[in-house]
Amino acid sequence: MCGIVGILGLHEVAPTLVEALRRLEYRGYDSAGIATLNDGRLDRRRAVGKLVNLSDLLVHEPLAGKAGIGHTRWATHGAPTLSNTHPHRAGPVAVVHNGIIENYRELRADLAAKGIAHETDTDTETVALLTRYHLEQGLSPVDAARRTLERLEGAYALLFLFDGEPDLMIAARKGSPLAVGHGAGEMFVGSDAIALAPMTDRVTYLEEGDIAVVTRDSLTITDADGAVVERPVKTIRLSNARIDKAGHKHFMAKEVAEQPAVIGDALGHYLSADGRDVVLPGTTLDFNRIERLTMVACGTAYYACLTAKYWFEQLAGLPVDVDIASEFRYREPPITPGTAALFVSQSGETADTLAALRYCRDKADTILSVVNVDESSIARESDLALPILAGPEIGVASTKGFTCQLTVLLLLAIKAAQVRGTMDEEAVADLLSHLRGLPAAISQALEMDEALQQAARHLSEHDHALFLGRGLMFPMALEGALKLKEISYIHAEAYASGELKHGPIALIDKKMPVVIMAPRDALFDKTVSNMQEVMARGGKVMLITDRAGAAVADEGTWHLLVMPEVDPVLTPLLYAIPAQLLAYHTAVAKGTDVDQPRNLAKSVTVE
Ligand code: F6R
């Protein structure tokens, strides 16, 4: 979603602002703009579409100035037009905003009553108009911004820049993250540390309700109660180099290829030195006292939870509820004593997941999270945040984030099984030894790239696809369909194979490819029966199975993709790979924007 950056610099800031916005591109956007202060006067350039349009504009109409703010906009209120593009300006103030001002209609009405008209469709414009009004009432820029912020309801990360104030930037956080970067005589503000990484590695994260008054050599933060507070300066580990494609055509391809390494990192972090035990660093979590696990997430992270349900229930005998965060938060489900609530989020900022966590705050016995971003809101509001150690995920479609989530969730389920006595020491050690072999099996699966590319070429000629799977492969079918639709725009749906006869079989014809994920496990024969039913009706079957499965069920398939064999418990981690590569190559064959698919945002910080 929207990305924000601000710089009080020593040199011209326009090129650095654009470069920082480029590093925020991954969040998803449909227009971009910057405003700078040149000789004390605000000026701005904005362009609809990709950042290259803004860069081109700046070549023809450069912007001078050593202080500036910038924004990539993912449209919420109003279409992605020039007039709706940020920064929004009202006389002497310019603002950029990530989030939603929920009471903007009321604010507009108040402004209209004062004879102040709005010119754009955005909620953000009201922030600029209100601040100009407060300035006209004689308030200083800091007081005018404060007075405006007092009126806002909803979620925001906001930056303000003022005419005649080249050494002042005001930043405010409520619901959307903001980080302040410390330079030598320079200050930076960004939506995340990735944006700031080339400029500084010293960062202060604003907390909920904070307002920061930033100058080139000072940072004064007041908290939600108006008290001046000290927030720590942290050194971030992100290096410039980690945000490149490392020779791959797309970030997604790089991130798919990284999976053996990052899963290895996660295993290294959570396994004891002898590899026979799961160690949850710095925790007193006691699975004997947990009677029920409630897991909540969105999208791909939700499918990771669905997979983990099988693991927690089958390995540890622990009852699990899994819910979509946007449903959970408004359904107000009862949380019974003995419930641990577990939230899974790559970004750690997904608005619905965060709201679900806050709903559980005083109801669940403990709040756990599985996150990729250590400093994220979800991590910080959890009793125990378990990092997945995937490294920055830039492609909008989650890949390594998903498999690292699965890795950590499986380790947690094994720990639960061990503590609850449903797996003995030997069984745990045996499963962990298989798990240690997983990075090698994933590397082998990645070698199927060419076969998947060929299958994808054929798949790309279709408008629809069905994905089927049973047991642990059902969530993988859901994930495969989601990956395919989000980056190739092919309409794809997934069903538990056993559901086929209850409706979806009516869709089967020659134009409906059916992707079936089925390692030769206890449920294999049943899935093969469903596959026969599809083929009997002229459906084209792409079967993804292992050697044992291929030996008995290759006849009549449209495509047969043969995977390495792993312990049945680990199959989701392995079968995620063909699901990802199939979607990736189909998107490449169709020529879509793989890393930034239309309409999608990486970090969904609004409802
Ligand atoms: C799909 C995808 C999304 C995210 C979802 C949750 O490829 O990436 O479905 O999984 O938006 O995001 P996080 O994990 O950041 O909470």
Side-chain angles (χ1 to χ4, degrees), residues 297-302 344-350 353 378 393 396-399 405 479 482-483 486 601-604:
C298 300
T300 285
Y302 168 69
V344 179
S345 174
Q346 188 282 130
S347 64
E349 299 295 348
T350 300
T353 311
I378 289 174
E393 190 178 65
V396 160
S398 187
T399 52
Q405 284 165 353
E479 171 61 2
L482 178 65
K483 285 286 94 90
E486 69 182 332
K602 181 72 184 160
S603 174
V604 183

Side-chain angles (χ1 to χ4, degrees), residues 289-455:
R289 295 175 54 185
I290 297 174
E291 288 168 23
R292 181 160 215 98
L293 193 59
T294 291
M295 301 181 73
V296 184
C298 300
T300 285
Y302 168 69
Y303 298 148
C305 295
L306 283 184
T307 311
K309 178 181 169 75
Y310 289 78
W311 287 329
F312 279 107
E313 292 186 347
Q314 290 178 354
L315 299 179
L318 183 61
V320 176
D321 301 311
V322 181
D323 226 319
I324 295 169
S326 55
E327 289 299 311
F328 179 90
R329 63 181 289 194
Y330 292 114
R331 205 176 66 242
E332 303 192 351
I335 308 288
T336 50
T339 299
L342 171 52
F343 302 87
V344 179
S345 174
Q346 188 282 130
S347 64
E349 299 295 348
T350 300
D352 284 321
T353 311
L354 183 58
L357 182 154
R358 289 178 179 157
Y359 170 79
C360 290
R361 182 71 272 169
D362 300 320
K363 301 180 182 73
D365 281 15
T366 184
I367 305 276
L368 310 171
S369 62
V370 169
V371 290
N372 197 26
V373 182
D374 304 352
E375 290 296 336
S376 60
S377 306
I378 289 174
R380 289 198 287 164
E381 294 190 27
S382 303
D383 299 322
L384 172 65
L386 297 167
I388 62 169
L389 304 155
E393 190 178 65
I394 304 298
V396 160
S398 187
T399 52
K400 62 175 182 169
F402 178 59
T403 48
C404 285
Q405 284 165 353
L406 289 178
T407 305
V408 174
L409 290 169
L410 176 55
L411 289 168
L412 208 54
I414 295 172
K415 185 77 196 171
Q418 188 186 24
V419 172
R420 292 163 65 87
T422 51
M423 278 176 88
D424 64 25
E425 213 177 293
E426 274 319 301
V428 167
D430 187 47
L431 185 51
L432 291 180
S433 102
H434 285 297
L435 194 48
R436 288 199 309 279
L438 187 73
I442 291 183
S443 297
Q444 247 181 298
L446 288 168
E447 285 168 17
M448 294 167 57
D449 195 62
E450 201 143 322
L452 283 157
Q453 207 170 327
Q454 209 184 346

Side-chain angles (χ1 to χ4, degrees), residues 198-240:
M199 300 177 261
T200 179
D201 63 353
R202 292 189 314 124
V203 164
T204 298
Y205 292 95
L206 297 189
E207 304 266 338
E208 283 298 283
D210 279 359
I211 300 175
V213 176
V214 187
T215 71
R216 282 182 178 72
D217 53 21
S218 72
L219 169 64
T220 310
I221 302 174
T222 45
D223 66 11
D225 299 324
V228 175
V229 283
E230 288 288 328
R231 302 275 181 233
V233 181
K234 300 192 173 174
T235 303
I236 52 170
R237 279 172 291 149
L238 292 167
S239 72
N240 214 348

